[in-house]
Amino acid sequence: MTTLLLETERDSLDLNGVQTYGAGFQATAGLTGLGLPAVNVQWLEGAGDGARHRGQRVLPRDIDMPLDIVGWDRRHLTELVSRLARALAGECSLVLVDAEGVRWTTPVYRVGGGEVSLEGGTDIQTVITFRAPDPYFTASAVSTQQVGGEQNTAPLLSSLTSLPLAASQAIGDIELDNVGDVAAYPVWTVYGPGRDLTVTSPDGRETLRWEGTLDASETLIVDTRTGTVTDGKGANRYALLAPAPRFWTVPPGTSTAHVSLLDTTADSRVECSWRARKWMVI
């Protein structure tokens, strides 16, 4: 069974609380917006019949959540309403915990709803309308694969293919297993020494190359989602990218990427990490 939570930096509201504890918050029947999000499709129409598909983008997700709020008494109900109001004052996160315990999160903002009546009784019903600017649910768990380092003698991860590594050059393939429904943004972390990092996408069409040099004590972090390149101290190292960098993504399913790092030692390694994303969680 999927657990539904509404979280902020300071609070976490269990939206199955009434069923579990007999009081609190309960998302009820009629919840909409957790399925496939809407898309904006572009078409090219010419003089001939029909049209050609030119691409599409996924639109923000709108969620209508019927909510039952039940207190132990009138005072407790008032406290619950105040707690909900504080949570909805700014950005919060809608969290779905699947049957395997994996947390899937999307940031949401209240854009409507929330009408309540406090005239007697210890429970009230309302509907909250949220908008999720990121239409995907992102896993809290981070998937990581590595090439180099102690991989020279034994795999660090059982799912990692054994790689032939020369004394001063780390070249090999990393098997990437993306359990999500859509492409994920990898973060490349390079531990020196080494120079001239090249990572090639599974289809071989896109290459990201960094032409700088790392000492033994230095690290490099390439975040493909934000398009940033920094060292371990936070300094910007973007200028050392080769012309026309391609910040490619990890496709759904199992694929293999190619990694190259020159002038390495036994301590050098390259890690690829990402968070899976899904259209919906059931």
Side-chain angles (χ1 to χ4, degrees), residues 33-42 56-63 131-136 279:
L34 298 185
L36 294 176
V39 295
N40 181 15
V41 184
Q42 292 83 44
Q56 65 185 39
R57 66 183 183 90
V58 183
L59 299 177
R61 182 189 296 272
D62 290 324
I63 301 169
R131 172 158 290 189
D134 183 348
Y136 304 107
W279 294 96

